[in-house]
Structure formats: C-alpha cells, structure tokens
C-alpha cells in the first residue's frame, strides 16, 4: 500500500522550499498569463497585419488551409490570434506541467538526501515498491494542480482580451480540452516517472535536473515544427501522442512495480 504520510510529508516539503515554490508560481505565470497577454493584447493595440508583413500572410495561408473552413472567413487579425491561441500557445503551455513536474520529481529522493532524512526513510518498514509509488503520487499532485489552475487563469486572460476581437468567448476549444484532460496528465506522469528514477540514482538535485532537462527537447521540437509550418498540434495529434505516452507510462510503472532491492537504493543514495 502507498504511504499517505510520505505523500503528505513530500507535499509539505514542497511548500516549504522557496526554490520549488517559486518555480511552481513563476512558470505558470509566464506561459498562462504573460504569453497570451502579449500576443492577444498586442492585437488590440497594434495593426498586426501591417506589423508582421507578407511573410506572416504566407504562413497563415498554409495553416488556414488545413483547419476548420470557418477560420478562412476570419480577418487576418482574427486568424493570427486564433492560430496562436489554439495551436501555438498549447505547445508552450505544455512547458508548465513539464517544468513543474520535473522540478518536483527531481527533488524526490535527492531532496531527502540533502535534508538528511533519506536514511531513516530507507530503514522504515515500507517496501521499496510502495516507497516509489508514494513518491510518484506526491510528485504528481502539485504539477497537476498547477496545470489546472494555469488552464483556468489562461482562459480568463484569453476570453477577456479576445472577446473584443471575436465578439464571443473563444476559450476553451476542443484542442485545449483534450490537451488538459488527456495529454497534460500523461506528460506529467511520464516526467514524474522518469525524474523519480533519475532522482533515485543520482546524488544531487542539480545533477537530477541537468539530466532530466532533456525531456524539454521534444516540446521545443513541437514548437519549431509548428512555427515552421511542418505540422499543427491538432486534435488527432494530441490524441495520438496521449495514447503513445499512456503505453510508455504503463511500461515504466510496471518496471517500477518490480523494484524491491532496498540495498541498491541505499547504496546509490547514502554512500
């Protein structure tokens, strides 16, 4: 059985850490408030079509051609805002669950070591498998909570600024709903699982973060792919990625469920 006391203790430790707490606050503000505020707010202040020029019009033609036909009836300004909100911003938004989950999970075991509490934890009667599962659940809760709150705040900002442009509420779209309900939880679980494993094998928090930082690269590739017009993060792609991540998460969880070697974990972390 999982240990509720470990889960509770880990969440309390997160709220007491200024570094972790700052990350859980600053990252969501950047991607759920600042980004939409800059782009959608700029559409209200400036003539975006005139500012961006012909290059953007060529990109819009490429994007609009593969989207809902109603998008073609929008003005250029509306098309720019629509594409940013429903295709580009969701990709940036995925950095919220990734970075927050990575920060929290990377601290799971090495954080115990740095606080000098890991030895007593390893000597407790809880099994290694249940210790891992408890750490996983404790690491999932904060980024999941932060993602949901960020999604709500992002919606308020987008609808407040977008209503004068579209004369209707434009958030959330189907893409956003599927992303927050399917893709985001799968990404959080994957990042937590990978970082828990890394944290259990390294000896410093900085080392854990440096290794885990590679997880951000696929999101960077998604951002570049969309900006260059290679593909769009549409509904089908979100569902496909979510399904693939679900399978990967099951495989990693199955492997973790086989962990029973207390001495190995003790040796990697204590010595």
């Amino acid at each position: 059985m999982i240990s509720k006391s470990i889960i509770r203790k880990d969440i309390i430790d997160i709220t007491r850490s200024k570094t972790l707490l700052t990350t859980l606050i600053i990252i969501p503000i950047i991607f759920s408030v600042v980004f939409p505020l800059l782009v959608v707010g700029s559409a209200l202040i400036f003539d975006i079509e005139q500012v961006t020029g012909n290059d953007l019009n060529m990109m819009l033609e490429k994007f609009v051609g593969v989207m809902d036909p109603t998008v073609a009836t929008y003005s250029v300004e509306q098309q720019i805002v629509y594409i940013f909100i429903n295709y580009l911003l969701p990709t940036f938004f995925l950095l919220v669950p990734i970075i927050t989950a990575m920060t929290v999970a990377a601290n799971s075991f090495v954080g115990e070591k740095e606080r000098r509490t890991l030895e007593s934890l390893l000597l407790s009667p809880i099994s290694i498998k249940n210790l891992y599962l408890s750490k996983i659940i404790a690491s999932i809760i904060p980024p999941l909570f932060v993602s949901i709150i960020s999604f709500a705040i992002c919606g308020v900002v987008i609808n407040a600024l977008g209503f004068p442009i579209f004369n209707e509420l434009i958030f959330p779209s189907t893409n956003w709903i599927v992303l927050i309900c399917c893709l985001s939880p799968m990404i959080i679980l994957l990042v937590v699982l990978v970082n828990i494993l890394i944290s259990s094998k390294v000896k410093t928090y900085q080392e854990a973060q440096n290794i885990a930082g590679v997880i951000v690269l696929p999101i960077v590739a998604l951002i570049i792919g969309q900006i260059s017009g290679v593909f769009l993060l549409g509904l089908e792609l979100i569902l496909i990625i979510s399904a693939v991540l679900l399978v990967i998460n099951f495989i990693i969880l199955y492997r973790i469920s086989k962990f029973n070697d207390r001495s190995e974990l003790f040796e990697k972390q204590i010595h």
Side-chain angles (χ1 to χ4, degrees):
M1 294 292 291
I2 61 172
S3 172
K4 293 181 180 179
S5 60
I6 291 178
I7 296 172
R8 190 181 304 111
K9 180 189 74 66
D10 280 8
I11 293 177
I12 291 174
D13 287 340
I14 291 168
T15 60
R16 288 177 177 173
S17 170
K18 291 182 180 179
T19 301
L20 297 180
L21 205 55
T22 299
T23 301
L24 293 177
I25 294 173
I26 297 299
I27 295 301
I29 289 176
I30 292 174
F31 293 108
S32 63
V33 177
V34 176
F35 270 37
L37 193 63
L38 286 175
V39 175
V40 186
S42 297
L44 291 172
I45 300 173
F46 304 107
D47 186 341
I48 295 185
E49 184 176 2
Q50 184 176 2
V51 172
T52 52
N54 293 329
D55 290 339
L56 183 65
N57 288 334
M58 292 174 61
M59 186 180 73
L60 283 177
E61 290 178 5
K62 186 184 297 185
F63 284 156
V64 171
V66 296
M67 289 190 289
D68 190 300
T70 57
V71 179
T73 64
Y74 291 164
S75 67
V76 172
E77 180 185 58
Q78 289 175 325
Q79 288 177 1
I80 294 171
V81 174
Y82 181 90
I83 291 173
F84 172 78
I85 290 173
N86 293 297
Y87 293 94
L88 299 180
L89 184 58
T91 311
F92 284 103
F93 183 86
L94 287 176
L95 291 172
V96 173
I98 287 177
I99 296 176
T100 53
M102 183 173 63
T103 303
V104 171
N107 186 62
S108 57
F109 282 102
V110 292
E112 296 279 5
K113 179 183 177 182
E114 292 174 352
R115 291 189 296 271
R116 299 183 179 180
T117 56
L118 183 59
E119 187 170 359
S120 60
L121 186 62
L122 292 177
L123 293 174
S124 65
I126 186 173
S127 70
I128 294 301
K129 179 180 72 174
N130 289 335
L131 174 59
Y132 270 98
L133 292 177
S134 299
K135 287 287 186 181
I136 289 169
I137 293 173
S139 298
I140 287 174
I141 293 173
L144 190 60
F145 176 78
V146 167
S147 295
I148 293 172
I149 296 299
S150 300
F151 172 73
I153 294 174
C154 187
V156 171
V157 174
I158 289 173
N159 281 328
L161 297 176
F163 189 84
I165 299 174
F166 291 87
N167 294 318
E168 62 180 350
L169 299 179
I170 56 174
F171 188 95
S173 65
T174 305
N175 279 6
W176 273 102
I177 293 173
V178 175
L179 180 137
I180 202 67
C181 293
C182 298
L183 184 55
S184 182
M186 288 298 101
I187 285 180
I188 289 174
L189 180 56
L190 176 64
V191 172
V192 166
L193 292 175
V194 171
N195 278 272
I196 289 285
L197 292 175
I198 292 172
S199 183
S200 67
K201 296 181 183 300
V202 300
K203 297 185 177 181
T204 66
Y205 176 66
Q206 190 62 48
E207 187 180 356
Q209 274 206 316
N210 290 342
I211 297 174
V214 177
I215 298 175
V216 177
L217 295 180
I219 300 301
V220 174
L222 279 176
I223 293 171
I224 294 173
Q226 290 201 106
I227 292 176
S228 61
V230 175
F231 58 83
L232 288 176
L233 189 65
L235 179 61
E236 295 82 4
L237 185 56
I238 292 174
L239 289 172
I240 291 171
I241 296 174
S242 299
V244 171
L245 293 182
L246 178 63
V247 173
I248 294 173
N249 287 335
F250 268 121
I251 294 172
I252 299 176
L253 274 171
Y254 176 76
R255 292 189 62 113
I256 289 176
S257 69
K258 300 298 181 182
F259 289 172
N260 286 303
D261 194 339
R262 187 180 301 269
S263 60
E264 181 183 355
L265 182 58
F266 193 96
E267 181 180 353
K268 288 182 179 296
Q269 290 293 320
I270 301 301
H271 298 294

